[in-house]
Amino acid sequence: MDTFQPYIKKYICLIYPLFTLIYFLYMFFSGIRTGITMTFFLLIGIAGICLLRLITKETLEDKIFGLYIIYNILSVIWCVAFGIPVSVFIGEVSTTLLPMMLYYAGRGFDEEYAAKYYHGFIIAALLMGGIGAVLFIWAPQFYIDFSYVNEFISKADAPTMRVRMNSLIGSGPMGCFVAYSMCASAYFLRKDEKKDRIIGLVYIILSILFSFMANQRSAMFCIILMLVFFNFVDLLVDKKLSIKVLWAEIAAVAVLLAGIFIFARGIFEKFWIRLASIPDGFGERSGSWFDAVGDMHNILIGDGLGSRGHRAAEYQQYIVADGGLVKLFVEMGIIGTALIVAVVVLVYVRSLQKGAGAADGRRNVSLVVPELAIITSAVLMSIGSNVLEMELCAPIVYFALGRAVGLLNGVSKGTSP
């Protein structure tokens, strides 16, 4: 097994580029079943995780997360008992449960392979963004037709297609994909080597550009918030950033915004309207949230994995199409929700502590900046979107969660606190 270990890890690091390749091929070969194909490659990666014996229960978070996975699997019992077919549960397993297993890759990868995984993920996201940008500007008819058939747009013409950059996956997943990419870029931006920092900066700039082209308000909001978070850690925790540099950054952003406002006011107003409409999004969705919660069969154990997702639409009067946190609660109930919330809360609590993991007595948040950014963005976007049931976007979140647990507990394999 030791002989094959590097190859298995490299394969796991290449899963995201494979996902992007699958979607690119799908644009030309409509017979490709993107979901089934991604599940196939993901299953191979999960088999590799098991063969490498990366599944662990060393920390309290590991034990709780393991219970959460088991709970999701067991929920098929009451999911079926409440009238949902097994096929609905199995479909949800592929998009929601399987990505959870990447937690163990995050826990078991050393720095070398963590860097490769982040590189693979970011390159996949930026390739998706780059392809989308070319098609967005070029607007060929075959792509307009592709977008219409896949319900990315409501009318098959260039002006409608250019409202948001859909790339090959739709503007929602695209915005989420590159928002996580921007967060992961902090891994390289915080390295000591100049080459890594330059790569990190390029990654961040491209991620921001593609995110705003996707024009998804939750993703844009998370990017702005995480940029503030990066500067906060550098300024107050790591003290890598001087007040002068911070003011220079603020001035540069102000000049950029002023330039866009003066010379491209239409673009400025387009993004401003989207960001300002975030509160309206809650109002638009809250009715369906209350309906779904009020229709729960059992508030303690929930209605079962997949019971309130889009696959269950023909079996349920109320589903949660937009609102991942509400969907989580309705499906997992108080018990299941408490398990995953406990893991996330423990990560936040440990990141605020001082300990051996942080140099010079600094808070441990310094160790997990990119991971906290990804996790926090996932939580925030899950308020209004079901991002954790997107097979394309979910694995990176669980990888980051597992890596954060390992780093904060000082037990990641191949790393030192």
Side-chain angles (χ1 to χ4, degrees):
M1 182 54 63
D2 290 342
T3 303
F4 295 103
Q5 188 175 113
Y7 299 104
I8 296 174
K9 289 183 177 179
K10 287 177 182 178
Y11 171 81
I12 295 171
C13 294
L14 288 173
I15 286 178
Y16 265 109
L18 283 172
F19 283 179
T20 296
L21 176 62
I22 290 166
Y23 274 102
F24 181 73
L25 293 175
Y26 171 63
M27 183 168 59
F28 301 102
F29 305 98
S30 59
I32 293 176
R33 301 288 296 274
T34 55
I36 293 174
T37 309
M38 285 195 299
T39 298
F40 172 75
F41 286 117
L42 189 58
L43 279 170
I44 294 175
I46 292 170
I49 289 171
C50 296
L51 287 173
L52 294 175
R53 298 180 181 177
L54 297 181
I55 296 176
T56 178
K57 52 182 180 179
E58 290 183 57
T59 69
L60 177 60
E61 293 93 324
D62 293 336
K63 294 171 184 175
I64 297 173
F65 190 78
L67 286 174
Y68 179 64
I69 290 179
I70 294 171
Y71 188 86
N72 273 265
I73 296 171
L74 292 177
S75 73
V76 66
I77 299 171
W78 50 94
C79 184
V80 173
F82 293 145
I84 304 300
V86 175
S87 59
V88 171
F89 173 83
I90 293 173
E92 196 74 14
V93 165
S94 66
T95 56
T96 301
L97 184 58
L98 292 184
M100 294 179 192
M101 295 300 293
L102 269 295
Y103 170 93
Y104 297 106
R107 282 287 282 109
F109 279 11
D110 59 19
E111 285 298 313
E112 177 187 357
Y113 283 100
K116 288 180 178 179
Y117 186 86
Y118 280 141
H119 269 305
F121 168 73
I122 296 170
I123 289 171
L126 296 183
L127 275 174
M128 190 75 78
I131 293 168
V134 171
L135 295 170
F136 182 86
I137 296 168
W138 179 21
Q141 189 59 47
F142 78 86
Y143 175 67
I144 294 174
D145 295 337
F146 169 83
S147 300
Y148 182 74
V149 168
N150 286 277
E151 300 181 348
F152 299 158
I153 55 178
S154 58
K155 187 177 179 183
D157 59 28
T160 304
M161 184 273 293
R162 286 190 173 123
V163 171
R164 301 177 190 175
M165 185 183 75
N166 293 291
S167 188
L168 308 174
I169 53 178
S171 62
M174 187 68 243
C176 179
F177 207 6
V178 286
Y180 293 156
S181 172
M182 195 283 293
C183 297
S185 300
Y187 176 87
F188 303 101
L189 194 64
R190 295 176 60 79
K191 290 290 186 180
D192 292 330
E193 293 187 18
K194 185 177 180 180
K195 179 182 176 181
D196 289 328
R197 295 199 304 272
I198 292 173
I199 290 172
L201 182 61
V202 172
Y203 282 166
I204 282 181
I205 291 172
L206 290 175
S207 297
I208 294 172
L209 172 63
F210 295 145
S211 176
F212 275 77
M213 289 183 72
N215 199 17
Q216 282 294 315
R217 53 194 173 189
S218 60
M220 292 188 292
F221 173 77
C222 286
I223 277 183
I224 294 170
L225 188 64
M226 291 308 109
L227 287 173
V228 173
F229 170 62
F230 296 161
N231 280 280
F232 173 82
V233 174
D234 282 343
L235 180 67
L236 299 181
V237 179
D238 291 344
K239 303 188 186 305
K240 293 180 178 179
L241 187 68
S242 68
I243 293 293
K244 289 181 179 180
V245 173
L246 179 62
W247 278 113
E249 288 185 6
I250 294 173
V253 171
V255 169
L256 177 63
L257 292 176
I260 295 174
F261 180 78
I262 294 170
F263 299 106
R265 184 171 298 187
I267 295 176
F268 180 90
E269 291 177 348
K270 176 182 178 180
F271 293 130
W272 175 254
I273 290 171
R274 287 291 291 165
L275 288 169
S277 68
I278 288 177
D280 296 334
F282 298 127
E284 295 166 0
R285 296 171 169 84
S286 59
S288 63
W289 297 345
F290 285 115
D291 289 338
V293 172
D295 194 49
M296 288 177 69
H297 291 90
N298 190 305
I299 195 170
L300 187 63
I301 63 173
D303 289 358
L305 182 67
S307 62
R308 296 290 173 167
H310 68 276
R311 294 183 181 88
E314 62 180 292
Y315 307 103
Q316 294 280 22
Q317 183 177 2
Y318 302 110
I319 64 168
V320 184
D322 296 294
L325 298 184
V326 176
K327 180 177 180 291
L328 169 68
F329 176 74
V330 177
E331 292 185 350
M332 294 291 102
I334 293 173
I335 295 175
T337 304
L339 289 173
I340 188 61
V341 167
V343 177
V344 175
V345 168
L346 281 170
V347 167
Y348 283 125
V349 169
R350 294 193 197 282
S351 69
L352 293 175
Q353 293 174 343
K354 293 181 180 179
D360 304 323
R362 288 176 291 177
R363 298 191 185 277
N364 289 325
V365 66
S366 302
L367 296 171
V368 289
V369 169
E371 289 76 25
L372 281 183
I374 293 170
I375 295 166
T376 304
S377 294
V379 171
L380 292 174
M381 285 190 281
S382 290
I383 296 174
S385 302
N386 294 355
V387 295
L388 290 179
E389 70 167 0
M390 295 178 186
E391 192 172 9
L392 178 67
C393 299
I396 183 64
V397 178
Y398 292 107
F399 180 90
L401 182 63
R403 180 167 166 76
V405 168
L407 290 173
L408 291 169
N409 284 277
V411 292
S412 275
K413 296 177 183 178
T415 63
S416 56

